[in-house]
């Protein structure tokens, strides 16, 4: 019996949409493969000033010798406001821009630069745990080629160029650097990957990289190697077995790999760094500052990365937390390197967005993954409807001083879009009256107004479950793609509260009875 396209899918196609274009959970999750979730949708114009300051004030236009080993980025908010101000999307965007060509376009010259985005989880309570998270992020492939893979490509090219002229085909020796990341391309041109891995391993051992780490890099298996050390393939949060080795692996072994790959600088962007400060008891904060100083600045005798000046660290500090750390920071003279002051010359301050920019953010999500060209840019919304969503999501007093935060704005846009798709009597252009009907009097998802808020995340259900939202009635077989939105994402504790479910294909929310076998997990 023939299958017919579901009403939801047909309406999405008629509205020139691939799926609901706004994230179901409006928190950026850099480890999520969904581009609506991992920060891939970015409205550059909204943060152009901050991008310029990061390039100029913090990264010194890509001249590694001028960059300070530590710098601050500030998340500033009004008292009582919530987070969700777009800093994670900015930091992941900066990371991607640098890593796409080792900083050439971002800086305007061959900077030989790489960057690592590191989310500091609210439970992080030590510098070794921070280092373990950074190692996990070095292996992250959710947003594209991982940093360890980029390093492998450069070292492959290096050892091939150092080999005898007849050992590899001229086509390989003259290939663009990106080709050395492609195993299939190399194999199709006669390169023995096992032999190449042995050569890379030998070169890294000559650079004093430890045997296990060198083998993992050479074979492209760093994530598996760290998982073995950790005793768990899930590296975040790390277990004590990996945490105990993390600083040595990050600051010595990885740094030697970086140097072998002839990369001049790796920038670590520490998002939500203030969580580590808050988790450290006041009596231990001087020790925390001392450990950070050793990790970034004064540990030359212990850490290869410090001795060779290969790394720098940009940490996001919350304005409401900084004062509790300032005394400890100054006690070890770190204020002489990076003053813990909001308006210091070499710092970047992230302010909430003014309301008039909200429409630009919504349009960026509407433009992303359009399967066909719509009648106008804001379709299926009218321009007035987008303005109404922004106005109803505004923080503070109406008028010129009102601001919005991406978190609440995207949540409102998601709710309005889903409501429209499910009502056959609503058709484009969606106007402000419908927006007010959906949002007025219906409370949006509450977000904690303190530093302790924990972003919801998503997980696949523990049993194979088909989507019940009728999106897949035109497929030949069921698609098992339901995800649960859970409170306190990232924790491995049992008993997490399930906030809802959504379909990964169309992004629609769906009511889902939990099978008995799922309840047992």
């Amino acid at each position: 019996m023939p299958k017919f396209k579901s009403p939801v899918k047909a309406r999405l196609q008629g509205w020139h949409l691939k799926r609901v274009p706004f994230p179901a959970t409006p928190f950026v999750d850099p480890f999520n493969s969904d581009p609506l979730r991992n920060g891939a949708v970015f409205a550059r114009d909204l943060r152009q000033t901050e991008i310029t300051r990061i390039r100029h004030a913090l990264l010194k236009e890509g001249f590694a010798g001028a960059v300070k080993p530590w710098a601050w980025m500030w998340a500033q908010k009004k008292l009582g406001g919530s987070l969700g101000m777009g800093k994670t999307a900015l930091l992941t965007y900066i990371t991607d821009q640098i890593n796409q060509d080792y900083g050439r376009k971002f800086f305007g010259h061959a900077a030989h630069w790489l960057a690592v985005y590191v989310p500091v989880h609210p439970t992080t309570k030590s510098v070794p745990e921070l280092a373990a998270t950074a190692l996990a992020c070095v292996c992250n492939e959710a947003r594209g080629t991982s940093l360890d893979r980029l390093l492998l490509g450069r070292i492959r090219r290096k050892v091939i160029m150092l080999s005898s002229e007849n050992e590899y085909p001229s086509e390989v020796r003259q290939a663009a650097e990106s080709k050395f990341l492609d195993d299939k391309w190399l194999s199709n041109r006669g390169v023995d990957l096992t032999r190449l891995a042995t050569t890379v391993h030998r070169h890294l051992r000559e650079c004093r990289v430890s045997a296990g780490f060198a083998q993992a890099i050479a074979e492209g298996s760093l994530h598996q190697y760290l998982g073995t050390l950790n005793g768990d393939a899930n590296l975040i949060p790390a277990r004590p077995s990996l945490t105990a080795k993390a600083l040595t692996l990050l600051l010595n072994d990885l740094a030697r790999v970086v140097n072998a790959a002839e990369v001049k600088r790796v920038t670590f962007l520490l998002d939500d760094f203030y969580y580590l400060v808050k988790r450290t008891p006041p009596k231990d904060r001087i020790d925390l500052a001392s450990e950070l100083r050793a990790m970034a600045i004064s540990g030359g005798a212990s850490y290869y990365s410090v001795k060779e000046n290969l790394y720098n660290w940009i940490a996001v500090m919350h304005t409401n937390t900084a004062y509790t750390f300032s005394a400890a920071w100054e006690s070890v003279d770190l204020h002489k390197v990076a003053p813990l002051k909001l308006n210091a010359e070499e710092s970047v301050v992230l302010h909430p967005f003014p309301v008039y920019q909200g429409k630009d953010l919504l349009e960026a999500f509407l433009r992303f993954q359009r399967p066909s060209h719509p009648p106008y840019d804001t379709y299926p919304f009218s321009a007035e409807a987008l303005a109404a969503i922004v106005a109803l999501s505004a923080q503070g007093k109406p008028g010129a001083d009102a601001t919005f935060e991406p978190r609440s704005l995207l949540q409102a846009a998601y709710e309005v879009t889903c409501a429209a798709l499910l009502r056959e009597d609503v058709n484009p252009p969606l106007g402000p009256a419908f927006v007010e009907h959906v949002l007025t009097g219906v409370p949006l998802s509450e977000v904690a107004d303190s530093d302790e808020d924990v972003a919801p995340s998503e997980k696949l259900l523990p049993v194979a479950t088909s989507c019940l939202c009728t999106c897949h009635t035109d497929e030949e077989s069921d698609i098992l793609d339901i995800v649960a939105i859970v409170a306190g994402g990232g924790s491995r504790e049992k008993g997490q509260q399930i906030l809802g479910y959504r379909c990964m294909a169309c992004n629609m929310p769906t009511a889902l009875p939990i099978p008995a076998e799922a309840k047992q997990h």
Side-chain angles (χ1 to χ4, degrees), residues 106-324:
F106 186 77
F107 295 117
H109 60 92
H112 303 287
W113 210 286
L114 286 171
V116 184
Y117 169 81
V118 184
V120 180
H121 195 269
T123 62
T124 303
K125 58 182 182 296
S126 71
V127 173
E129 287 183 22
L130 178 67
T133 301
L135 285 170
C137 294
V138 166
C139 308
N140 182 23
E141 296 182 334
R143 300 175 53 81
T145 306
S146 60
L147 183 134
D148 62 309
R149 186 76 181 177
L150 291 173
L151 293 171
L152 173 59
R154 288 178 69 93
I155 297 172
R156 280 176 168 178
R157 182 177 185 274
K158 180 179 179 181
V159 299
I160 287 175
M161 296 304 292
L162 290 174
S163 65
S164 61
E165 187 172 348
N166 297 326
E167 188 170 351
Y168 292 95
S170 58
E171 181 183 6
V172 173
R173 298 175 66 87
Q174 297 170 10
E177 193 163 289
S178 61
K179 295 297 185 182
F180 294 89
L181 299 171
D182 190 337
D183 290 352
K184 183 177 180 180
W185 187 89
L186 290 170
S187 295
N188 289 343
R189 281 148 186 84
V191 176
D192 185 332
L193 294 179
T194 301
R195 181 180 176 188
L196 179 59
T198 300
T199 305
V200 170
H201 178 264
R202 184 186 309 117
H203 180 73
L204 292 177
R205 291 292 287 145
E206 291 171 355
C207 296
R208 300 181 60 194
V209 180
S210 66
F213 200 92
Q215 182 176 353
I217 292 291
E219 295 177 351
S221 60
L222 182 59
H223 188 279
Q224 294 91 319
Y225 173 70
L226 295 176
T228 300
L229 294 179
N230 190 45
D232 188 343
N234 183 5
L235 301 178
I236 299 178
R239 293 183 174 184
S241 54
L242 176 59
T243 300
K245 302 178 179 69
L247 281 169
T248 295
L249 295 174
L250 181 69
L251 304 180
N252 288 329
D253 286 309
L254 181 66
R256 287 190 169 97
V257 174
V258 167
N259 194 45
E262 299 181 357
V263 171
K264 295 180 180 178
R265 175 72 57 171
V266 177
T267 294
F268 290 87
L269 298 156
L270 307 179
D271 195 4
D272 294 335
F273 175 80
Y274 46 80
Y275 282 136
L276 175 56
V277 175
K278 290 180 69 66
R279 289 281 294 181
T280 304
K283 64 182 180 63
D284 297 331
R285 287 177 184 171
I286 292 178
D287 292 338
L288 172 61
S290 298
E291 291 180 52
L292 293 171
R293 181 182 179 88
M295 180 182 73
I297 299 166
S298 61
S302 304
Y303 302 130
Y304 185 81
S305 60
V306 178
K307 178 183 177 181
E308 298 298 324
N309 191 27
L310 292 171
Y311 295 169
N312 74 294
W313 310 78
I314 299 175
V316 176
M317 177 57 79
H318 199 296
T319 52
N320 292 353
T321 306
Y323 76 93
T324 66

Side-chain angles (χ1 to χ4, degrees), residues 7 45 55 67 74 80 174 192 226 235 244 251 282 293 297 300 308 310 348 354 373 397 447 481 512 517:
D45 291 345
R55 181 189 295 113
V67 175
W74 294 86
Q174 297 170 10
D192 185 332
L226 295 176
L235 301 178
L251 304 180
R293 181 182 179 88
I297 299 166
E308 298 298 324
L310 292 171
V348 174
H373 188 68
K397 298 179 179 179
V447 179
D481 65 352
L512 184 67
E517 56 268 40

Side-chain angles (χ1 to χ4, degrees), residues 224-495:
Q224 294 91 319
Y225 173 70
L226 295 176
T228 300
L229 294 179
N230 190 45
D232 188 343
N234 183 5
L235 301 178
I236 299 178
R239 293 183 174 184
S241 54
L242 176 59
T243 300
K245 302 178 179 69
L247 281 169
T248 295
L249 295 174
L250 181 69
L251 304 180
N252 288 329
D253 286 309
L254 181 66
R256 287 190 169 97
V257 174
V258 167
N259 194 45
E262 299 181 357
V263 171
K264 295 180 180 178
R265 175 72 57 171
V266 177
T267 294
F268 290 87
L269 298 156
L270 307 179
D271 195 4
D272 294 335
F273 175 80
Y274 46 80
Y275 282 136
L276 175 56
V277 175
K278 290 180 69 66
R279 289 281 294 181
T280 304
K283 64 182 180 63
D284 297 331
R285 287 177 184 171
I286 292 178
D287 292 338
L288 172 61
S290 298
E291 291 180 52
L292 293 171
R293 181 182 179 88
M295 180 182 73
I297 299 166
S298 61
S302 304
Y303 302 130
Y304 185 81
S305 60
V306 178
K307 178 183 177 181
E308 298 298 324
N309 191 27
L310 292 171
Y311 295 169
N312 74 294
W313 310 78
I314 299 175
V316 176
M317 177 57 79
H318 199 296
T319 52
N320 292 353
T321 306
Y323 76 93
T324 66
F325 195 48
S326 59
W329 192 251
E330 292 184 9
S331 70
V332 293
D333 288 336
L334 283 173
H335 63 295
K336 297 178 181 179
V337 178
L340 194 57
K341 295 181 179 179
L342 180 63
N343 295 315
E345 180 180 351
E346 294 182 349
S347 65
V348 174
V349 181
L350 301 182
H351 299 279
F353 295 102
V355 160
Y356 71 84
Q357 290 186 317
K359 181 171 173 288
D360 297 333
L361 180 63
L362 296 179
E363 287 189 11
F365 277 86
L366 283 170
R367 287 193 300 269
F368 190 75
Q369 293 185 334
R370 283 276 200 188
S372 55
H373 188 68
Y376 51 86
D377 290 343
T378 63
Y379 196 83
F381 297 91
S382 67
E384 293 78 13
L386 294 187
I389 294 174
V390 177
L392 291 171
S393 304
Q395 308 288 321
K397 298 179 179 179
D401 295 334
T403 61
F404 78 89
E405 293 174 347
R407 178 179 298 180
S408 57
L409 177 60
L410 293 175
Q411 183 65 61
Y414 179 80
E415 292 182 10
V416 171
T417 308
C418 290
L421 283 166
L422 294 172
R423 290 188 52 168
E424 296 182 0
D425 60 334
V426 175
N427 294 293
L430 306 179
F434 181 75
V435 170
E436 293 179 10
H437 170 73
V438 175
L439 299 180
T440 301
V442 179
L444 300 177
S445 298
E446 295 182 1
V447 179
D449 61 1
S450 71
D451 290 345
E452 302 298 337
D453 59 340
V454 180
S457 188
E458 296 173 345
K459 62 180 180 180
L460 287 169
L461 293 185
V463 294
T465 307
S466 300
C467 176
L468 301 185
C469 63
T470 70
C471 297
H472 309 301
T473 53
D474 59 335
E475 304 290 347
E476 291 300 322
S477 60
D478 291 333
I479 297 180
L480 309 179
D481 65 352
I482 293 297
V483 291
I485 301 171
V486 297
S491 173
R492 289 184 297 196
E493 297 178 0
K494 294 183 179 180

